[in-house]
Amino acid sequence: SEHDTYTGTARNAGSRNKLEWNTVLFYIYENYQRMYEYMSEGEYQLYEADSKRKDMGGQLGFSGSWFRNHNLTFGTDYKMGSVNGTDTYYTSTDIISNAGKMQTGSLFVQDEIFLLNRKLQINLGLRYDFSKYSDGLFTIDDPSYSIEFISQFEDMAMPEKYWDAFCPRFSVQYKFSETNRTYLSVAKGFRAPVLDDMTRTGKKKGSFKVANPDLNPELITSFEGGADVDIVRNLSIGASAYYSLGKDFMYYASTGDSVNMG
């Protein structure tokens, strides 16, 4: 096997007239290659996997304290990821390919409010997330008898998908002293489907998984509360509790259908 990774990052930060900014740009290219050799029901098989993955994007953030007792942060981020994989068989005629692109981005704003001589801190945030899936495909060139059953799942042009969500956040903290505090937070999260789950069909640990371009993004709402308290000198205790509600979580599940894998 061989795993080549090339990365690059550029950063810039500065400030002027109570405005601070921070910029990050990144690029990642991965090329994973591996030879697979095994016996399956008395039949020898040899194939090479070649997977090329790219991730690129950046973030631009601003912050400033233009109003008394307020610290405002806002900005945007963007990321584009792609996969282009091929399994080339040397013991048969099969060439299996899968590809897809995923774009994700967001706009965000947050206001930190300090009251009661900065003992009370309130955070109000709002984030708008969006994702776009495109150029998805799963194909088999010259399928042989041993994997001909996968041909029924070929898709030369998977439909484009677009998702978005507003994700608010609220937290409040009260500091009795520098080391004693209590806090409460509520936040909503968003996660787009994984490219491999949307584009790649094949055997999975003795079973069979089917690419699903109709997946929805995962959504989660989390509640958390806690406190840090000094007991005696040099001894403190911290405790927290959290509860999360998830929707459309992605995992492998039986569809009730069956596939004849020979």
Side-chain angles (χ1 to χ4, degrees):
S1 64
E2 181 178 346
H3 196 163
D4 301 322
T5 304
Y6 305 90
T7 66
T9 305
R11 300 177 181 272
N12 178 264
S15 62
R16 178 179 294 179
N17 298 330
K18 295 184 178 182
L19 176 67
E20 298 180 358
W21 66 84
N22 194 325
T23 304
V24 179
L25 298 175
F26 70 90
Y27 176 83
I28 303 173
Y29 173 77
E30 293 182 330
N31 187 8
Y32 177 72
Q33 296 175 297
R34 180 176 175 181
M35 296 293 292
Y36 291 87
E37 183 181 33
Y38 61 93
M39 296 290 293
S40 177
E41 298 181 359
E43 182 182 0
Y44 171 71
Q45 291 189 346
L46 173 69
Y47 73 93
E48 179 184 19
D50 186 353
S51 178
K52 298 178 176 64
R53 297 178 180 269
K54 295 180 182 180
D55 284 295
M56 64 190 77
Q59 183 180 64
L60 177 61
F62 301 92
S63 63
S65 301
W66 299 283
F67 308 101
R68 185 180 178 183
N69 298 327
H70 288 262
N71 185 16
L72 190 65
T73 302
F74 59 94
T76 182
D77 61 58
Y78 172 81
K79 174 183 175 181
M80 185 181 77
S82 65
V83 59
N84 188 355
T86 303
D87 291 346
T88 303
Y89 282 76
Y90 296 107
T91 51
S92 61
T93 58
D94 310 295
I95 301 177
I96 304 176
S97 302
N98 71 292
K101 293 180 181 178
M102 182 75 76
Q103 300 179 65
T104 61
S106 71
L107 300 170
F108 57 88
V109 60
Q110 176 181 276
D111 187 15
E112 291 180 291
I113 306 170
F114 300 93
L115 303 172
L116 304 178
N117 293 324
R118 302 182 74 87
K119 289 186 176 182
L120 179 64
Q121 177 182 343
I122 301 173
N123 284 18
L124 300 173
L126 180 63
R127 180 184 178 98
Y128 173 69
D129 289 286
F130 60 89
S131 298
K132 180 182 178 181
Y133 168 71
S134 60
D135 299 333
L137 61 86
F138 177 77
T139 62
I140 305 176
D141 296 339
D142 301 322
S144 64
Y145 173 77
S146 60
I147 62 173
E148 188 177 11
F149 67 93
I150 305 180
S151 300
Q152 60 182 303
F153 301 103
E154 276 194 282
D155 198 335
M156 296 291 294
M158 295 181 181
E160 290 188 353
K161 297 291 293 293
Y162 182 88
W163 313 276
D164 62 347
F166 284 98
C167 298
R169 188 179 107 176
F170 168 80
S171 68
V172 58
Q173 172 183 269
Y174 186 82
K175 299 180 70 174
F176 301 95
S177 66
E178 286 301 316
T179 55
N180 292 270
R181 65 161 186 158
T182 183
Y183 67 91
L184 176 69
S185 69
V186 182
K188 182 180 179 181
F190 168 94
R191 177 175 177 264
V194 180
L195 275 177
D196 191 69
D197 291 338
M198 302 183 71
T199 64
R200 179 67 176 170
T201 294
K203 296 180 180 180
K204 184 73 173 181
K205 296 181 179 179
S207 185
F208 190 78
K209 77 160 189 171
V210 180
N212 184 4
D214 294 321
L215 288 171
N216 289 320
E218 295 180 338
L219 298 174
I220 188 170
T221 302
S222 296
F223 305 84
E224 183 175 353
D228 298 315
V229 181
D230 286 336
I231 304 299
V232 294
R233 184 179 179 181
N234 296 328
L235 179 63
S236 62
I237 185 172
S240 63
Y242 61 90
Y243 183 72
S244 298
L245 295 171
K247 180 182 178 183
D248 289 332
F249 270 27
M250 286 168 273
Y251 53 91
Y252 294 114
S254 173
T255 64
D257 201 353
S258 60
V259 176
N260 183 359
M261 298 189 291

